[in-house]
């Protein structure tokens, strides 16, 4: 049996170096493994939960698609938009009908919003919570189960959603027979988390990111702002606690990393260490930047790639949905 790897991203704009190292590179690598089928979905209906600006949703879809294509997602993966696979939405309803409300009550994202509301005394506990947010985990389960994907690369924050997908699949199987495989989360390795320019984990929510396709000038500016300690040139420096080093090592070969380490021990100035990091990043990213700028201009081409992906994906999803409908009794009467 082939492994089926499924990766999903919500449409939240152009990725940064942290997304690239932590999610994009590993997913693209995995899509090229032998004996695997790779599914790659742009979760545009998930982003509707938070984003009510039509133009933003549309632009982000383009940006995300162009980003992944620019760094090398290719025909090894079925690349499609969630909204182009109506079977996902149909399964979403079917699963909703066998999923316990209590399971959704336990979702971290939902619970933390309820808690926030409770802390503000006279507020309705449900304020600001739409049904999309509440049922988010069911839609995610539908994304996965419609293809019977068994391996799901995710960050820590998504582990609970995969656990819930297993619960949802299990409960369905218990009622209707063995229809779904229980998927497994594949957690990225800790080494692939990189710091942002202020030293905290690189994340949009901290506004400390280095965007992946930023132009050379702005890339240099951001690298120059990366936080260091106040050691003087000539003083030996601790590479293991250096933000510059943490970023460098995710982009460099073993010999280059050893060489950089050596320079820290020999007291390289922070300015020089930053220049080396900048040159290295720039060399690494130049090609991607060019690809991205070319691809993003050709909207028709992106649309075609996603359409083609959805046609292939639907060959699988329509067959699977037929089996599911048959199992629940929604089928031909005679
Ligand atoms: N919820 C995921 C996130 O915010 C995105 C996502 C949607 C996803 N559907 C998925 C991830 C299916 C894995 C599998 O990152």
């Amino acid at each position: 049996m082939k492994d089926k790897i499924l990766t999903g991203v919500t449409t939240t704009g152009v990725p940064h170096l942290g997304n690239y190292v932590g999610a994009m590179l590993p997913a693209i690598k995995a899509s090229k493994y032998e004996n695997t089928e790779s599914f790659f979905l742009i979760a545009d209906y998930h982003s509707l939960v938070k984003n009510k600006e039509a133009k933003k949703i549309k632009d982000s879809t383009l940006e995300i698609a162009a980003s992944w294509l620019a760094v090398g997602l290719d025909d090894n993966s079925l690349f499609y938009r969630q909204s182009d696979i109506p079977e996902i939405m149909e399964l979403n309803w079917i699963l909703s009908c066998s999923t316990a409300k209590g399971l959704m009550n336990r979702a971290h994202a939902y619970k933390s919003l309820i808690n926030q509301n409770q802390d503000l005394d006279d507020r309705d506990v449900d304020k600001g919570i739409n049904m999309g947010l509440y049922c988010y985990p069911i839609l995610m389960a539908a994304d996965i189960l419609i293809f019977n994907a068994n391996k799901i690369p995710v960050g820590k924050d998504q582990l609970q959603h995969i656990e819930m997908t297993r619960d949802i699949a299990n409960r369905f199987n218990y009622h209707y027979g063995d229809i779904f495989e229980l998927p497994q989360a594949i957690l990225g390795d800790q080494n692939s988390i990189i710091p942002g320019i202020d030293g905290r984990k690189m994340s949009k929510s901290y506004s400390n990111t280095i965007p992946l396709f930023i132009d050379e000038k702005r890339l240099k500016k951001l690298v120059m702002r990366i936080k260091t300690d106040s050691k003087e040139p000539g003083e030996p420096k601790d590479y293991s606690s250096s933000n510059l080093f943490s970023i460098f090592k995710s982009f460099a070969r073993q010999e280059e990393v050893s060489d950089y380490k050596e320079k820290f021990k020999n007291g390289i100035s922070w300015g020089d260490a930053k220049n080396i990091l900048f040159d290295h990043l720039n060399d690494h990213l130049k090609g991607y930047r060019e690809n991205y700028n070319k691809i993003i201009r050709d909207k028709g081409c992106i649309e075609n790639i996603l359409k083609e992906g959805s046609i292939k994906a639907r060959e699988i999803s329509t067959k699977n949905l037929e089996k599911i409908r048959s199992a629940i009794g929604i089928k031909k009467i005679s």
Side-chain angles (χ1 to χ4, degrees), residues 18 21-23 26 154-159 186-195 201-202 246-247 249-250:
V21 172
V154 284
K156 254 198 201 146
D157 62 322
Q158 296 296 315
L159 275 182
I186 309 291
L187 198 57
D189 99 50
Q190 280 302 104
N191 279 326
S192 60
I193 295 176
I194 60 170
K201 178 185 168 189
M202 190 177 287
S246 302
I247 298 175
K249 78 173 177 0
S250 299

Side-chain angles (χ1 to χ4, degrees), residues 196-213:
I197 57 175
D198 63 356
R200 291 183 291 175
K201 178 185 168 189
M202 190 177 287
S203 160
K204 268 212 179 114
S205 46
Y206 296 145
S207 303
N208 64 358
T209 65
I210 301 179
L212 191 54
F213 307 115

Side-chain angles (χ1 to χ4, degrees), residues 6-10 41 43 46 136 140 143-144 152-154 158 161:
L6 185 141
T7 304
V9 282
T10 51
L41 107 146
H46 270 120
Y136 188 109
M140 190 159 149
D143 290 336
I144 296 169
I152 321 295
V154 284
Q158 296 296 315
H161 288 148

Side-chain angles (χ1 to χ4, degrees), residues 96 98-108 110-111 134-135 137-138 160 164 167-168 171:
S96 299
S98 60
T99 298
K101 173 173 175 284
L103 184 66
M104 295 301 100
N105 288 343
R106 291 196 285 277
H108 299 319
Y110 166 71
K111 261 172 54 184
Y134 188 64
C135 300
I138 305 179
Q160 190 195 29
M164 288 183 156
D167 288 345
I168 291 168
R171 183 141 168 166

